[in-house]
Amino acid sequence: MTSETITAEASGSWTLGDLPVSRIGFGAMRLTGSAAFHLGTPSDRDRSIAVLRRAIELGVDHIDTAAFYFSSVRSANELINSALAPYTDDLVIATKVGPFRDYSGEWGTPARPDQLRAHVEENLRQLGRDHLDLVYLRRTGQDSIAEHFGALAELREAGLIRHLGISSIGLRHLAEAQAIAPVVSVQNQYGLDSPNAETDELLRTCGEQGVAFVPFFAIAGKGGAQGPSGSDGDEVLAVARAHGATPAQVRLAWTLRQGPHVLAIPGTGSPDHLVENVAAGALRLTDDEMARLDALHRPGE
């Protein structure tokens, strides 16, 4: 089997509330340009649309996006709408609300609780949908998320949102949100190059509670929104050579091995990278390789 014939099904599946998805999904952030937001060169529109349609052909049924994913000339939500509407019943589109960018691309003041409905409605308008499958509250530094999450819970009761998630949180925020409404997914920065004891504990807690954990920047690591730094260590390169894989595929395979509840949403604007990312769901690392990579993630243990 070659990468071209491997589909997202090879990664296994998880159910977000009542929505089954393959564990390899797609992140829309990089559709709009060579780097996230307004940091790079805007993408070619036809190429981005082709990437989205190819993702569906490869069995991807979970796309992660946000209204604030746009460059000077491209909007991720508009691209998704143009490429994939009318949407199939099995496609799950997750979005995030809370942060705000103005039309020039500059970050503005995050939404107050009473402004979140407008954020949700903007995603609905851009995507051309009458409800959102999954909406994350992206925490923007507030100590308590209760008021913001409560506002989203009301929109869920009103039928605008099917399921709720939370993002960029600590353990206590998960308990705080769960006291208000069910949480089906947590999205935090996490990856081989992102050691964080609290996030490791959060990942384990999500697994114990049956909550999905969806890391962002699993490939980019410290490069974050700018993309991968290209500085893969000897251990990652050695494991990649042993499998005839790329370092990015090794990073994704390591991420998926953290638990059956861990989903991956690698983003790309490249058709070739898309195929490689999806194929990573079929890469099976040995226990010895996992131990060597774990030592990079948790130095000193």
Side-chain angles (χ1 to χ4, degrees), residues 14 27 47 113 127 131 165 207 225 262 284:
W14 183 260
R47 187 185 194 210
L127 291 166
H131 75 280
V262 177
R284 303 293 184 256

Side-chain angles (χ1 to χ4, degrees), residues 77-99:
N77 282 354
E78 185 276 328
L79 290 166
I80 292 168
N81 190 343
S82 296
L84 303 181
Y87 305 104
T88 59
D89 291 340
D90 62 347
L91 177 62
V92 175
I93 299 180
T95 190
K96 293 167 288 295
V97 296

Side-chain angles (χ1 to χ4, degrees), residues 33-283:
S34 59
F37 311 125
H38 57 312
L39 301 176
T41 303
S43 63
D44 177 83
R45 186 172 187 275
D46 290 341
R47 187 185 194 210
S48 294
I49 286 176
V51 166
L52 282 163
R53 291 176 175 165
R54 181 62 174 144
I56 300 303
E57 291 173 357
L58 291 170
V60 170
D61 53 12
H62 172 206
I63 295 177
D64 182 87
T65 186
F68 53 84
Y69 286 176
F70 64 87
S71 67
S72 58
V73 295
R74 297 281 174 264
S75 156
N77 282 354
E78 185 276 328
L79 290 166
I80 292 168
N81 190 343
S82 296
L84 303 181
Y87 305 104
T88 59
D89 291 340
D90 62 347
L91 177 62
V92 175
I93 299 180
T95 190
K96 293 167 288 295
V97 296
F100 171 75
R101 294 174 67 210
D102 63 27
Y103 288 111
S104 69
E106 295 304 312
W107 291 100
T109 303
R112 301 187 309 268
D114 63 319
Q115 295 174 318
L116 288 176
R117 184 183 184 105
H119 283 219
V120 167
E121 290 179 342
E122 181 65 8
N123 278 280
L124 289 169
R125 184 191 67 78
Q126 292 178 6
L127 291 166
R129 305 199 75 173
D130 61 4
H131 75 280
L132 298 173
D133 298 319
L134 170 59
V135 174
Y136 291 93
L137 172 65
R138 171 65 63 83
R139 187 173 75 94
T140 50
Q142 59 266 48
D143 184 60
S144 169
I145 63 171
E147 193 173 355
H148 286 77
F149 192 76
L152 290 184
E154 291 177 2
L155 297 178
R156 174 176 171 268
E157 290 297 320
L160 296 183
I161 301 170
R162 191 161 179 175
H163 296 294
L164 297 174
I166 45 180
S167 178
S168 295
I169 60 145
L171 261 174
R172 61 188 177 85
H173 300 113
L174 175 58
E176 186 178 31
Q178 288 173 321
I180 298 169
V183 175
V184 303
S185 186
V186 168
Q187 190 179 98
N188 270 31
Q189 182 168 351
Y190 183 83
L192 191 57
D193 291 336
S194 304
N196 184 306
E198 183 180 14
T199 303
D200 286 338
E201 186 179 357
L202 178 61
L203 185 154
R204 289 192 295 270
T205 299
C206 285
E208 292 166 358
Q209 298 183 3
V211 175
F213 185 87
V214 186
F216 58 87
F217 298 150
I219 294 177
K222 295 176 182 177
Q226 294 279 9
S229 63
S231 56
D232 292 297
D234 292 342
E235 288 288 1
V236 175
L237 293 173
V239 173
R241 284 193 297 269
H243 289 272
T246 67
Q249 288 176 315
V250 170
R251 291 172 181 275
L252 287 172
W254 176 87
T255 300
L256 291 173
R257 273 286 297 272
Q258 302 308 306
H261 65 300
V262 177
L263 312 182
I265 48 169
T268 182
S270 161
D272 291 339
H273 288 164
L274 168 69
V275 170
E276 292 175 356
N277 290 344
V278 172
L283 179 56

